[in-house]
Amino acid sequence: MLTKIWERYFIKETLKTFFFISFCFYGLYVLIDYASHSGARHHQSMMEWSELIKFYANEWILRADVLVPFALMIATIRTLCDLNIHNELVALQASGISLKKILRPFIFLGLLFTLLIYANTEFLLPNAMAASRHLRNQKEIQKNNKNKKFFVQHVGLKDGSTLLYQHYNFAERSFFDAYWVKSFDEIWRFQHLSPYEQPPKGIGVGHFQRMPDNTLHKIESFESRSFPEMKFNQKILLDTLTPSRELSLSTLWKRLPHSKEIGSESSL
């Protein structure tokens, strides 16, 4: 498409400025962020260098939708100004090249980076947000264990029962320290519970039942046990564990109500 020497030259100069600006701005952001949060997040949590690199790599993915267009805009302006100062634009127009053709390399770069941002939002951003949240959760868990502070969360099941849990491990995709309140008289306790396995599987399982004297007693225990009767509502599970901002664009599109569904609901 872009076969002319001057077109490749425009692209090369724009990309050089783009990468320079991106590196400088994000490097400055990393320095400021690290310095301002060093006491609260990095030093106290004793993050290793590998964790820091992963953390700021994820941060770049999270902020690419702002950083990339801004850097590309500055790079384009700088390249055009430089060409104008050296009268290269005038020379190209004098040789019979129209202004539309002169701008073609910049339009090509704009479309290319638009596709890259879309690919980043669709494929990289959800994983980066999940990894970033997992890292924050791990540090919060360490802090809570140190301060002896624990919080209870819950998710509903299809049969109307409730699962209580301390936290969800996104890396292992399992609940930690969970209690399935199957009924008023029956409770299952799990050290770890994997809701996405078919059927859901628990590790370190304890079964409690209410006795005639109205007290709960542990009647059996298992190292591991599957629960085919435990039915999770996948939509509720996804909404509970994963905020909408951490989902890809295609997943969000699938979750939108279709016109037929809207029409059927309005008719009701």
Side-chain angles (χ1 to χ4, degrees):
M1 180 180 177
L2 302 176
T3 58
K4 305 295 184 181
I5 295 178
W6 62 269
E7 290 177 328
R8 295 198 298 269
Y9 171 74
F10 285 4
I11 291 177
K12 184 185 72 172
E13 291 299 313
T14 304
L15 289 178
K16 283 168 55 178
T17 307
F18 169 81
F19 287 116
F20 176 77
I21 292 175
S22 299
F23 177 80
C24 290
F25 271 88
Y26 191 66
L28 183 62
Y29 166 79
V30 170
L31 290 176
I32 295 175
D33 182 76
Y34 182 84
S36 60
H37 296 93
S38 58
R41 183 170 63 210
H42 304 303
H43 288 178
Q44 289 183 3
S45 301
M46 295 183 294
M47 292 179 68
E48 298 179 355
W49 283 106
S50 59
E51 291 180 319
L52 280 176
I53 293 173
K54 291 179 181 178
F55 176 81
Y56 284 114
N58 290 329
E59 282 291 301
W60 189 92
I61 294 174
L62 297 178
R63 305 184 188 282
D65 59 337
V66 175
L67 180 62
V68 170
F70 178 76
L72 183 61
M73 180 188 68
I74 299 298
T76 302
I77 294 174
R78 186 262 177 189
T79 303
L80 288 172
C81 290
D82 188 63
L83 294 172
N84 186 52
I85 291 174
H86 294 88
N87 296 321
E88 293 177 84
L89 294 178
V90 176
L92 288 172
Q93 288 180 298
S95 64
I97 301 176
S98 64
L99 187 60
K100 290 183 179 179
K101 287 186 178 181
I102 293 176
L103 294 178
R104 189 165 59 183
F106 304 103
I107 296 174
F108 170 78
L109 285 177
L111 294 175
L112 176 63
F113 278 101
T114 300
L115 291 176
L116 291 177
I117 292 175
Y118 171 79
N120 175 73
T121 306
E122 175 68 21
F123 302 108
L124 299 180
L125 185 61
N127 294 330
M129 297 191 75
S132 180
R133 186 168 67 160
H134 171 67
L135 181 61
R136 290 196 303 268
N137 288 344
Q138 289 297 106
K139 299 307 175 184
E140 289 176 1
I141 291 170
Q142 294 177 6
K143 183 178 179 180
N144 291 337
N145 289 336
K146 182 178 179 180
N147 298 331
K148 303 301 181 183
K149 294 181 180 179
F150 303 98
F151 305 94
V152 178
Q153 305 176 71
H154 73 280
V155 61
L157 277 70
K158 283 186 176 181
D159 59 1
S161 59
T162 302
L163 181 74
L164 306 175
Y165 62 96
Q166 186 182 138
H167 75 268
Y168 180 78
N169 190 318
F170 287 90
E172 300 178 0
R173 302 184 72 187
S174 65
F175 294 106
F176 172 74
D177 195 15
Y179 291 82
W180 179 24
V181 185
K182 193 173 183 180
S183 67
F184 181 74
D185 299 317
E186 184 179 5
I187 297 176
W188 290 85
R189 190 262 178 182
F190 312 92
Q191 185 176 358
H192 296 279
L193 175 65
S194 302
Y196 289 104
E197 290 194 22
Q198 296 298 329
K201 182 179 180 181
I203 298 176
V205 181
H207 187 197
F208 296 82
Q209 277 193 343
R210 191 173 300 278
M211 298 292 109
D213 60 354
N214 207 31
T215 59
L216 287 171
H217 286 269
K218 186 176 183 180
I219 59 174
E220 55 184 345
S221 60
F222 309 89
E223 289 187 7
S224 64
R225 185 180 187 276
S226 298
F227 290 83
E229 69 275 20
M230 183 182 289
K231 304 294 183 182
F232 285 94
N233 186 313
Q234 295 300 321
K235 184 178 184 303
I236 294 177
L237 188 64
L238 182 65
D239 292 341
T240 303
L241 300 178
T242 309
S244 298
R245 61 190 179 88
E246 296 185 9
L247 300 177
S248 64
L249 294 176
S250 58
T251 304
L252 290 173
W253 177 260
K254 292 177 182 178
R255 293 175 62 182
L256 288 175
H258 299 289
S259 56
K260 293 182 179 179
E261 296 177 355
I262 296 175
S264 61
E265 291 179 359
S266 60
S267 62
L268 294 175

